[in-house]
Amino acid sequence: MSEETKSEIGLIGLAVMGQNLALNVADHGFRISVYNRTTSKMEEFVAKHPDTPGGLVGEATLEGFVASLKRPRKVIILVQAGWATDKVIEGLVPLMEEGDIIIDGGNAKWTDTIRREKELTAKGLRFIGSGVSGGEEGARFGPSLMPGGTKEAWKHLEPVWSAIAAKVDPKTGRPLEGAKPGKPVEGGFSCSAYIGENGAGHYVKMVHNGIEYGDMQMICEAYDLMQGVLGLSAPEMGEVFTKWNSGMLDSFLIEITADILKQTDPETGKPFVDVVLDTAGQKGTGKWTSVNALDMGVPAPTVAEAVFARCLSAVKEERVAAEKILKGPEGFSFEGDKEAFIQAIHDALYCSKICSYAQGFQLMREAQKEYDWTLNFGEIAQIWRGGCIIRAAFLQKITEAYERDPDLANLLLDPYFNKTIQDAQANWRKVVGIAAQAGISIPTFSSALSYYDGYRTARLPQNLLQGQRDFFGAHTYERLDKPRGEFFHIDWPDPKRPQIKA
């Protein structure tokens, strides 16, 4: 086989995501070789799609797969994160040559990506860890792509990644839609951009997923308030979410929430949501985000509360038993204006969303110092405008905020977000108060409000906490009337003695 007739790129792993991404690549005119451990699955897939513009080439052996690729070879891995990814890499390394590129498109932990790049660099190979967001549909018709690695490696992957990514209108930031099999969307801004060195791409994807946890939980809390306080039916709430989707809350998750709430269960005829068990699963990326925030000392309570809400939902049997024993407020009855309260819930959702994203971007801001990355936050928000699960009109406001001030310390300090919360916070506080009176759990709404109030407060009560720490553990404290960085200790058995400078 001559070099000219070889495939531009290869892909290993033909589960649904792998198949859809391969078709996306082929639809954009790139010849792609595919390999799967189960050969029959590969053969069936290739036979089913004989007429893609670029062409699908099935290879039954890993040796044949690698040999079918143009140099420098580019291999996408889309298998289960962790051990399975390492095993695929282990099989590829002896077959590849210096300068070849391995691309991990799975939900890898960023520290694994950093390790893999070091190991492969030592062997003369290049490695890209790329976040791929958008689920099955995104993979097929345009995902949001977050690649991390060396810029030299990225130059070879960029033509493919830029072509297959979701596209948005560069002026409005709105996603360009209408892609069909064999006929991808042309033009627009590509939702793919070089993120940074080594694990930067997978780190940003992790934060994306943590924010996604927060978004989903906030929507659930809005739903719970509408049914628990106002007594709205699922179809009625579906109409509310449809209306919200035409305004500032315009997003993929709000859109599908409206569809879900309007869906009828085909077996019972009841609203679909009313027959779904209230226990939520998770794959770990939200937990990674929360643990990393704790490790780096960055306040991200709203994401953490979204993770804990899923954990609490999982103890279904305990909650059923507890409901018979633990009592909440009695006699609560909402007597206000229903439409006004729906608007208040809308405002609470939007304000909480702002705080959640502020936490996520602060986490990325701290991570770039920790790992020596240079992240373009405005560009990150822009590539999240299309393809990914958290795609939303709101993200354009984040891009604009970082265009105004690339060194913005916190999204809350941007004039747009500051004014938005000033205008809506009375409704936000009203919702949190009524939820407490009604006994409805709203962990993300309330934690976001506490974060906002804490961040805007110049003097917090942790002065007392430092006194406690010094009392029982001689952990020292700083003083308001002394320079930062000077630490003191009181001899607590005799507090009148002069303070000791640590």
Side-chain angles (χ1 to χ4, degrees):
M1 183 184 295
S2 67
E3 196 70 16
E4 290 75 20
T5 60
K6 290 183 178 181
S7 295
E8 183 70 32
I9 196 165
L11 184 144
I12 296 175
L14 292 174
V16 175
M17 282 288 288
Q19 289 187 23
N20 284 351
L21 197 72
L23 289 171
N24 189 355
V25 171
D27 275 354
H28 283 85
F30 299 102
R31 188 177 178 84
I32 180 169
S33 294
V34 293
Y35 171 81
N36 196 74
R37 187 176 60 176
T38 305
T39 304
S40 59
K41 192 169 187 177
M42 175 273 295
E43 291 172 340
E44 182 182 343
F45 170 63
V46 173
K48 193 176 177 181
H49 302 280
D51 299 320
T52 57
L56 294 168
V57 179
E59 293 290 344
T61 67
L62 203 54
E63 292 80 0
F65 169 79
V66 172
S68 72
L69 304 176
K70 289 181 181 179
R71 294 183 178 84
R73 301 179 180 95
K74 299 179 287 294
V75 176
I76 306 164
I77 300 174
L78 267 178
V79 300
Q80 189 174 4
W83 175 86
T85 300
D86 282 327
K87 292 302 290 183
V88 171
I89 292 172
E90 192 178 298
L92 280 171
V93 167
L95 305 174
M96 300 184 81
E97 299 177 355
E98 185 173 354
D100 287 348
I101 305 163
I102 295 174
I103 304 112
D104 177 12
N107 260 342
K109 197 169 187 178
W110 80 99
T111 49
D112 287 342
T113 301
I114 292 172
R115 168 182 60 81
R116 287 167 183 147
E117 190 194 40
K118 286 181 180 178
E119 292 172 353
L120 290 170
T121 298
K123 296 173 181 177
L125 300 176
R126 293 180 282 190
F127 187 70
I128 289 176
S130 180
V132 178
S133 181
E136 298 171 13
E137 184 179 353
R140 182 66 184 88
F141 296 113
S144 175
L145 297 167
M146 294 153 261
T150 65
K151 285 188 176 179
E152 290 73 23
W154 166 238
K155 288 176 184 176
H156 292 282
L157 180 62
E158 183 177 11
V160 178
W161 246 223
S162 296
I164 70 170
K167 306 297 187 298
V168 298
D169 187 307
K171 293 182 179 179
T172 66
R174 291 190 171 278
L176 299 178
E177 299 177 349
K180 297 178 181 178
K183 294 182 179 180
V185 170
E186 301 294 340
F189 173 85
S190 178
C191 292
S192 172
Y194 176 71
I195 301 298
E197 298 289 330
N198 48 65
H202 274 138
Y203 186 90
V204 168
K205 174 59 164 57
M206 177 198 72
V207 174
H208 163 282
N209 284 23
I211 289 172
E212 179 185 312
Y213 273 56
D215 274 353
M216 294 172 73
Q217 177 61 26
M218 287 174 212
I219 291 170
C220 289
E221 291 172 22
Y223 153 76
D224 204 16
L225 285 162
M226 281 189 272
Q227 70 172 355
V229 174
L230 300 179
L232 298 186
S233 68
E236 288 173 327
M237 289 184 279
E239 292 302 328
V240 171
F241 278 97
T242 295
K243 181 180 177 182
W244 286 359
N245 196 50
S246 64
M248 61 176 61
L249 286 174
D250 171 13
S251 69
F252 173 70
L253 284 171
I254 293 289
E255 178 185 352
I256 68 169
T257 297
D259 292 341
I260 292 165
L261 288 167
K262 295 175 187 178
Q263 177 65 43
T264 300
D265 173 45
E267 291 188 25
T268 64
K270 297 178 181 179
F272 168 76
V273 289
D274 292 350
V275 300
V276 177
L277 187 68
D278 57 317
T279 57
Q282 54 181 309
K283 292 187 176 179
T285 45
K287 183 180 76 172
W288 294 350
T289 308
S290 301
V291 170
N292 181 245
L294 288 168
D295 286 342
M296 293 203 297
V298 176
T302 308
V303 173
E305 287 292 356
V307 176
F308 288 138
R310 295 196 188 192
C311 295
L312 188 59
S313 80
V315 293
K316 174 69 174 178
E317 289 74 19
E318 286 185 43
R319 290 188 289 109
V320 170
E323 185 179 45
K324 300 172 184 176
I325 303 168
L326 306 178
K327 303 301 179 184
E330 296 181 0
F332 174 81
S333 177
F334 181 77
E335 297 178 353
D337 184 305
K338 282 191 175 184
E339 290 302 320
F341 191 62
I342 289 172
Q343 181 60 44
I345 296 171
H346 169 282
D347 292 350
L349 175 54
Y350 195 54
C351 289
S352 300
K353 185 182 180 80
I354 291 170
C355 287
S356 180
Y357 280 67
Q359 294 163 31
F361 276 83
Q362 270 202 312
L363 186 55
M364 290 189 287
R365 184 167 171 257
E366 190 62 31
Q368 70 174 350
K369 302 175 189 175
E370 178 78 13
Y371 296 104
D372 196 28
W373 300 327
T374 301
L375 304 180
N376 185 330
F377 301 120
E379 191 170 52
I380 289 169
Q382 195 164 21
I383 66 172
W384 288 350
R385 276 294 279 118
C388 68
I389 303 302
I390 66 170
R391 58 186 183 268
F394 161 85
L395 287 159
Q396 188 66 20
K397 298 297 183 183
I398 296 180
T399 296
E400 292 167 5
Y402 283 109
E403 285 174 349
R404 284 189 286 270
D405 182 3
D407 298 319
L408 185 65
N410 189 299
L411 283 175
L412 295 173
L413 303 177
D414 175 73
Y416 168 79
F417 293 116
N418 181 17
K419 184 178 185 304
T420 297
I421 288 186
Q422 292 309 312
D423 292 344
Q425 69 169 297
N427 270 344
W428 189 11
R429 295 180 190 281
K430 177 182 178 181
V431 166
V432 171
I434 288 178
Q437 293 172 35
I440 294 175
S441 174
I442 52 165
T444 53
F445 279 15
S446 56
S447 70
L449 181 57
S450 291
Y451 171 81
Y452 174 74
D453 283 337
Y455 190 73
R456 68 175 184 80
T457 301
R459 184 163 171 80
L460 292 168
Q462 275 66 32
N463 53 324
L464 175 59
L465 187 149
Q466 284 299 89
Q468 294 168 338
R469 294 180 72 243
D470 192 60
F471 189 106
F472 66 68
H475 292 297
T476 73
Y477 57 90
E478 294 174 274
R479 294 179 58 90
L480 287 172
D481 54 2
K482 302 292 183 181
R484 288 298 305 269
E486 290 187 14
F487 293 87
F488 299 85
H489 169 62
I490 278 186
D491 182 4
W492 287 101
D494 186 4
K496 294 181 180 180
R497 292 178 60 184
Q499 296 177 44
I500 303 167
K501 188 173 180 181

